[in-house]
Amino acid sequence: MADEIFEDDIYTLTDEEGNENKFELQGSLELDGVTYLALMPIDETDDEFVILKVTTDDDGEEILITIDDDDEFDRIADIFQDELFGNIDYDEDEEPDEEEI
């Protein structure tokens, strides 16, 4: 369901405390007329991504906001997880456990 995968799109986001952080766009998804973006922090080594919703402000400018509804967030996170990371075999270099043989 992820519409596009981007490689070189970098977003600089400012948090509530005024700190700027850079994120790389991993993918976008449109569902029920709403666009969501999956962004990976550039400066961190973990595999957790941030999901933001695209909306417009009072001036008609596109802005990114957090998803406050837990059910909506979980649904979108599951879709991104399946689409972006579902095909990665994290254990491909490991020997199989005796239980798996």
Side-chain angles (χ1 to χ4, degrees):
M1 280 193 184
D3 294 332
E4 301 176 42
I5 302 296
F6 300 93
E7 293 183 22
D8 295 326
D9 287 346
I10 305 297
Y11 288 75
T12 301
L13 303 178
T14 306
D15 64 18
E16 295 87 20
E17 298 169 0
N19 300 317
E20 289 187 350
N21 296 295
K22 292 187 183 259
F23 293 82
E24 182 176 7
L25 182 63
Q26 300 296 303
S28 69
L29 164 70
E30 186 172 332
L31 186 65
D32 299 328
V34 178
T35 301
Y36 301 91
L37 302 180
L39 303 165
M40 185 82 64
I42 291 177
D43 298 332
E44 295 183 25
T45 58
D46 60 7
D47 288 337
E48 292 195 25
F49 55 92
V50 176
I51 300 173
L52 298 174
K53 184 191 301 190
V54 179
T55 189
T56 55
D57 64 11
D58 294 335
D59 297 325
E61 297 288 321
E62 282 190 348
I63 59 171
L64 301 176
I65 61 170
T66 57
I67 303 170
D68 294 329
D69 181 272
D70 289 340
D71 292 333
E72 177 185 11
F73 180 85
D74 290 342
R75 184 179 77 220
I76 300 304
D78 287 344
I79 293 170
F80 273 124
Q81 186 69 33
D82 290 344
E83 291 295 317
L84 296 176
F85 304 108
N87 296 327
I88 298 173
D89 184 4
Y90 294 103
D91 299 323
E92 68 184 27
D93 293 333
E94 294 181 14
E95 295 294 320
D97 292 339
E98 288 183 25
E99 296 172 6
E100 295 177 1
I101 299 178

